[in-house]
Amino acid sequence: MRPTILFLCLILVNINVFAQISASPPPPRVVTGDSHRNNYILKEDGFQIDFPAKPVRTISSIDTAFGKTNMVNYKLAASLAFYGVSIIDFPTVIEDKTEINLRLDALRIGLLKEPQSRLISETEISFGGNVGREFVLENTETTLTVRALFIKQRFFQLTIATKGSLLRSSDRVKNFNKKTTEKYINSFYVTDLAAPSMTAAELPKDFGIEIKNEKFSSKFLGFSMNVPQNWTIVEKEQTEMFKDLSAQKFENSTAKIDESLAFSLKNTEFLLVATKTQLESSVSSASLLIAAEKVSFPNFVPLKMVEAYSKNYIEASEKVLGKPGSTKLSGVDFAWIEIGDAKLNSRKRIYIANRKGIALEIFLIYQKEDELNILLDSLQSVKFE
């Protein structure tokens, strides 16, 4: 068995959500009067910001890693600028800086999907000790400034689009746009935030694992599964070594998935690694892995996790074989997907369930059809208390 990238990256909502937030503003409508004299100070939804006129508030439903949720948008299109604020509330406070950075990276990717967009600058910012980032982009007609902030469980995106390309505009236009942007962006502050609705489930120190008579069980997860007969149970020290080797592989990778999957691996505990043959004396062609992963949101939807994995987090030599699916094992809902690796001439099936707010992950790795049949027999032995 190779020490490979196996674990899900549970990053955020996902890039698709950010694409909805950061989509290009509609064509401007004219707001009469001097926008800098008749300001409208917005004081809703727990924050305050100074719009030049009254914005339009809308609520839209979006798909996230924890199911459907609402995104609140404020928009104002004037003759010289477009102003916007978007907010999403997550179930739990987002504190890990690596996780936040991964989500902000996803936002940048979403912004750059816009036609002819070019990134001018990207700056890390701190807002009252909260991590954020500011992006400046341009296309042929506008300059876009986006300030993104994670404050407790809430994500804020402040947006202003001014007329003219930043690099091609005259000094007069640049100065006007700079003042307009700074006045709007810097008028923002938070007035009140409700407490988060949930707390992320932590991995326990003891999963209550027992492996006896070719049967794996975890008292904490209330879960058991047969191990294929005569397969080798890999010792704990070796499974930890696989994590070390995977982390080393991430360091040598130029792909962006290295950081996100390394983050996932940091939050993952191997519960069982079983191989068809002994690793010291052969290269095993089939393996069974059981893992538990800490997830940011205890109400995560397994199918959403599998979909995100299939779109964004497979290696160059891998290919998704069919659409993600759902199945029940001992009455519990699992999402699953199959991935082929042309380089290694192997396949793996990944099954994920939400167990006590923790991701229970089962990996079936094989090369031959008879190996898959053996692994599927073990999968059908899954029992939950």
Side-chain angles (χ1 to χ4, degrees):
M1 184 193 74
R2 65 179 178 129
T4 184
I5 297 174
L6 293 174
F7 298 96
L8 295 180
C9 176
L10 308 173
I11 295 182
L12 159 85
V13 189
N14 60 42
I15 293 173
N16 291 332
V17 170
F18 281 128
Q20 293 181 58
I21 298 175
S22 59
S24 293
R29 61 181 176 81
V30 175
V31 176
T32 57
D34 187 338
S35 62
H36 294 275
R37 292 178 182 171
N38 302 307
N39 291 347
Y40 180 88
I41 300 176
L42 178 69
K43 297 180 180 180
E44 296 182 39
D45 291 310
F47 70 96
Q48 181 171 316
I49 196 167
D50 192 352
F51 275 90
K54 185 176 181 179
V56 176
R57 182 181 187 269
T58 60
I59 299 177
S60 55
S61 178
I62 57 173
D63 279 320
T64 71
F66 50 90
K68 295 279 188 181
T69 193
N70 289 329
M71 178 172 65
V72 179
N73 291 296
Y74 290 90
K75 297 180 180 180
L76 174 67
S79 56
L80 297 178
F82 168 87
Y83 306 82
V85 178
S86 297
I87 58 176
I88 299 175
D89 280 325
F90 297 112
T92 58
V93 174
I94 303 167
E95 296 178 311
D96 190 288
K97 188 173 181 180
T98 300
E99 182 178 2
I100 291 174
N101 282 332
L102 287 167
R103 297 173 185 229
L104 293 174
D105 289 342
L107 173 56
R108 184 205 320 108
I109 292 170
L111 290 168
L112 288 172
K113 284 185 177 180
E114 294 297 313
Q116 298 180 318
S117 290
R118 190 167 74 90
L119 184 65
I120 300 298
S121 65
E122 180 176 353
T123 308
E124 289 188 7
I125 59 175
S126 176
F127 184 87
N130 297 285
V131 177
R133 210 176 292 177
E134 184 168 291
F135 304 92
V136 179
L137 305 94
E138 70 165 4
N139 57 30
T140 56
E141 297 181 354
T142 61
T143 298
L144 179 70
T145 301
V146 175
R147 180 171 289 184
L149 300 166
F150 283 94
I151 302 176
K152 294 186 178 179
Q153 78 278 8
R154 178 167 287 184
F155 171 74
F156 289 93
Q157 179 176 306
L158 316 179
T159 301
I160 178 168
T162 53
K163 292 287 188 180
S165 165
L166 179 65
L167 298 183
R168 295 168 55 199
S169 295
S170 66
D171 289 342
R172 191 189 340 271
V173 171
K174 288 180 182 178
N175 291 335
F176 176 84
N177 288 343
K178 181 181 179 181
K179 291 179 181 178
T180 302
T181 298
E182 290 180 350
K183 180 179 186 298
Y184 173 68
I185 292 287
N186 293 334
S187 69
F188 170 83
Y189 64 92
V190 176
T191 57
D192 181 52
L193 283 181
S197 60
M198 296 181 180
T199 302
E202 298 289 339
L203 297 182
K205 293 181 179 179
D206 184 4
F207 280 90
I209 293 173
E210 183 179 63
I211 303 173
K212 186 177 181 180
N213 298 326
E214 296 181 322
K215 182 178 181 179
F216 166 90
S217 64
S218 165
K219 187 174 181 180
F220 174 80
L221 295 171
F223 163 79
S224 66
M225 181 179 181
N226 292 342
V227 180
Q229 290 185 356
N230 301 319
W231 281 33
T232 299
I233 306 297
V234 179
E235 296 297 326
K236 178 69 173 177
E237 184 177 356
Q238 285 183 311
T239 63
E240 292 301 315
M241 182 183 70
F242 293 151
K243 292 179 71 172
D244 295 341
L245 290 172
S246 295
Q248 185 179 37
K249 178 178 180 179
F250 298 147
E251 291 174 0
N252 296 331
S253 173
T254 57
K256 188 57 192 174
I257 62 172
D258 58 355
E259 185 180 0
S260 56
L261 289 172
F263 171 74
S264 180
L265 189 61
K266 181 185 72 173
N267 291 295
T268 298
E269 183 75 23
F270 285 128
L271 306 182
L272 172 77
V273 178
T275 57
K276 184 180 177 182
T277 57
Q278 292 187 357
L279 299 180
E280 293 87 351
S281 58
S282 65
V283 177
S284 184
S285 60
S287 306
L288 167 66
L289 290 86
I290 301 174
E293 184 171 357
K294 177 184 175 181
V295 184
S296 299
F297 315 122
N299 58 337
F300 72 91
V301 179
L303 186 59
K304 295 296 181 184
M305 293 166 52
V306 168
E307 288 173 349
Y309 184 91
S310 68
K311 292 177 181 178
N312 305 307
Y313 302 106
I314 61 174
E315 298 184 71
S317 62
E318 293 180 326
K319 181 180 179 181
V320 177
L321 307 175
K323 295 181 179 180
S326 298
T327 188
K328 280 186 180 292
L329 299 174
S330 186
V332 173
D333 291 323
F334 278 78
W336 71 280
I337 192 170
E338 186 168 21
I339 296 170
D341 192 323
K343 182 179 179 181
L344 297 173
N345 191 30
S346 67
R347 294 187 178 190
K348 63 184 174 186
R349 290 193 179 192
I350 308 171
Y351 293 79
I352 303 115
N354 187 332
R355 194 68 175 164
K356 297 184 177 181
I358 293 171
L360 171 60
E361 305 167 349
I362 302 173
F363 298 85
L364 313 181
I365 303 171
Y366 66 97
Q367 288 184 337
K368 303 174 184 177
E369 198 68 24
D370 63 328
E371 294 169 341
L372 173 61
N373 291 334
I374 291 170
L375 288 164
L376 289 177
D377 285 343
S378 288
L379 190 69
Q380 292 306 312
S381 71
V382 165
K383 298 288 187 229
F384 288 96
E385 293 177 1

